[in-house]
Amino acid sequence: MAKGQNQKLKLLYLLKIFMEETDDSHGLTRQELISKLNAHGVTAERKTLYADFEELRKFGIDIITEHDGNGWTYHIGEREFELAELKLLVDSVQSAKFITERKSQSLIKKLEGLVSRHEAKQLHRQVLISGRIKTMNESIYYNVDKIHAAIGADSCIKFQYFQWNVKKEMVLRHGGAWYDVSPWALVWDNENYYMIGYDTVSQQIRHYRVDKMLRISATEKKREGRHLLKSLDIAAYSRKMFGMFGGEEARVSLDAKDHIAGILIDRFGQDVRMIPKDNGTFTAYVDVTISPQFLGWVFSLGADIRITGPENVVEMMRTESRRLAEQYL
């Protein structure tokens, strides 16, 4: 590439070099900067670089000058995102089941572009430890965008819903019938994305796994169910649903040992009502949707917790206990 042919782009190439090559642990000398600019078809001199640094600083770029031995080095200081923040974002992308492996890699590659190539290696090392289960539905990335757009436009949507069979094939539910739903919110629960909406046919609030929705399109009809959504606490709704499985809602009383308190607070929040007793136990009252998933959650906590009411839920737990015992005879 002939030197000087990209002279008008000098500041842009200089910024690119700083962003890609430097950070708090890696600086470049003036001569190194000149050589890298030359590789991009830009000529530069030591004296003019000082003026270029000042122009970048005026633009808001944090150019740091440091003494290094007998000379000086220059690097980018503060960036839009700190490395620690990007590590959190990378881990969130990688752990999210609703994002496919291919889309995860694409998003992480873009996040790597926000730091130097040296720091990007630290983000890349996090990618290599993933091995987590990811969704197989590549369209979820666009499903989320379509649902957000429909919510913003106050429009209903229609879509088809599917489930996986034993052959790992998509099977449309209800014979491929179209669902007519008013979308009101998106919830990320248990590493999956759910859409909460008003179902026109049942006239009830329902939720749907976004990665199991197909062929989403907005309709000309305005959203319905506003009267129900006004009184719905979305956060409370999510806490009541175990694995977002539906069922009858009830206030359940639980007797538990004191060390279980943290588990209940993690699950139901600090507003959960807990009444201490004198024997190292307490009684808690939680509003939940009764489902096999909720009963299984209580089972998983072992002998340190038990359901004490209402009686119909206690009987459900007894029935489930007998069923499990018979299943494993």
Side-chain angles (χ1 to χ4, degrees):
M1 184 181 293
K3 293 183 179 181
Q5 70 179 51
N6 289 326
Q7 204 63 27
K8 291 183 178 180
L9 302 177
K10 181 181 180 183
L11 284 179
L12 293 178
Y13 277 118
L14 184 59
L15 177 58
K16 176 181 171 69
I17 293 166
F18 270 124
M19 296 295 287
E20 293 180 354
E21 301 287 342
T22 74
D23 52 52
D24 287 338
S25 301
H26 301 88
L28 293 173
T29 65
R30 282 173 296 180
Q31 188 54 52
E32 288 172 332
L33 287 167
I34 291 172
S35 297
K36 290 181 180 296
L37 284 171
N38 288 342
H40 288 291
V42 176
T43 58
E45 298 177 357
R46 293 192 176 192
K47 293 181 180 180
T48 60
L49 277 181
Y50 291 119
D52 295 330
F53 296 161
E54 286 306 311
E55 290 298 315
L56 290 177
R57 289 184 178 118
K58 289 179 183 178
F59 189 67
I61 307 302
D62 187 24
I63 306 295
I64 305 295
T65 303
E66 287 189 339
H67 189 261
D68 181 18
N70 296 324
W72 300 88
T73 62
Y74 308 86
H75 68 271
I76 287 282
E78 185 177 348
R79 294 176 183 250
E80 192 71 24
F81 289 94
E82 296 178 10
L83 181 61
E85 294 172 331
L86 289 172
K87 286 180 178 179
L88 287 176
L89 292 175
V90 165
D91 193 54
S92 296
V93 169
Q94 195 62 37
S95 64
K97 289 172 61 177
F98 66 87
I99 307 178
T100 64
E101 192 66 41
R102 188 168 73 90
K103 182 57 69 175
S104 294
Q105 296 297 334
S106 174
L107 289 173
I108 291 169
K109 189 68 176 176
K110 293 176 181 179
L111 290 174
E112 290 177 359
L114 297 175
V115 293
S116 72
R117 62 181 177 85
H118 311 286
E119 292 182 332
K121 293 177 182 178
Q122 297 184 46
L123 299 181
H124 187 62
R125 281 199 292 272
Q126 287 195 346
V127 177
L128 298 179
I129 67 171
S130 65
R132 298 181 174 106
I133 297 172
K134 309 289 280 185
T135 183
M136 292 185 285
N137 184 4
E138 185 69 29
S139 65
I140 184 174
Y141 192 75
Y142 308 101
N143 286 356
V144 171
D145 188 53
K146 289 177 181 178
I147 294 169
H148 273 304
I151 292 173
D154 196 28
S155 299
C156 288
I157 62 173
K158 66 175 184 177
F159 59 90
Q160 291 175 301
Y161 209 48
F162 77 88
Q163 59 189 11
W164 297 104
N165 66 14
V166 70
K167 297 179 180 179
K168 301 180 182 179
E169 299 169 334
M170 292 182 182
V171 179
L172 294 177
R173 302 188 66 174
H174 302 308
W178 289 89
Y179 288 65
D180 185 10
V181 178
S182 300
W184 286 97
L186 282 163
V187 175
W188 187 359
D189 184 86
N190 195 29
E191 298 190 32
N192 287 308
Y193 240 137
Y194 295 87
M195 181 194 74
I196 296 177
Y198 177 79
D199 183 77
T200 302
V201 176
S202 66
Q203 297 184 345
Q204 293 178 340
I205 299 297
R206 296 279 180 86
H207 57 269
Y208 308 86
R209 276 265 300 265
V210 177
D211 60 309
K212 294 186 177 182
M213 299 167 66
L214 293 175
R215 304 177 184 92
I216 299 175
S217 63
T219 67
E220 296 182 357
K221 190 167 66 172
K222 292 297 182 182
R223 290 187 298 172
E224 301 173 338
R226 193 180 303 272
H227 61 293
L228 293 177
L229 269 297
K230 277 185 177 180
S231 59
L232 180 67
D233 184 332
I234 299 295
Y237 178 88
S238 299
R239 286 197 300 270
K240 295 174 186 175
M241 308 297 259
F242 276 74
M244 297 302 284
F245 282 87
E248 180 183 350
E249 187 175 321
R251 172 158 290 187
V252 174
S253 59
L254 301 163
D255 278 0
K257 293 186 178 179
D258 286 349
H259 69 87
I260 298 293
I263 296 175
L264 294 185
I265 291 172
D266 287 343
R267 175 62 201 177
F268 298 102
Q270 293 191 354
D271 292 334
V272 62
R273 184 185 176 198
M274 295 190 294
I275 302 175
K277 298 181 180 181
D278 295 331
N279 59 351
T281 67
F282 65 93
T283 298
Y285 297 90
V286 296
D287 295 322
V288 298
T289 298
I290 308 303
S291 66
Q293 287 67 35
F294 167 66
L295 300 180
W297 178 77
V298 176
F299 267 123
S300 71
L301 298 177
D304 293 339
I305 188 171
R306 67 186 182 94
I307 299 173
T308 56
E311 184 57 33
N312 69 310
V313 180
V314 174
E315 184 56 37
M316 288 175 65
M317 182 62 101
R318 293 193 188 109
T319 301
E320 185 67 8
S321 298
R322 289 192 293 267
R323 184 193 68 77
L324 285 172
E326 294 173 358
Q327 182 175 335
Y328 289 96
L329 285 177

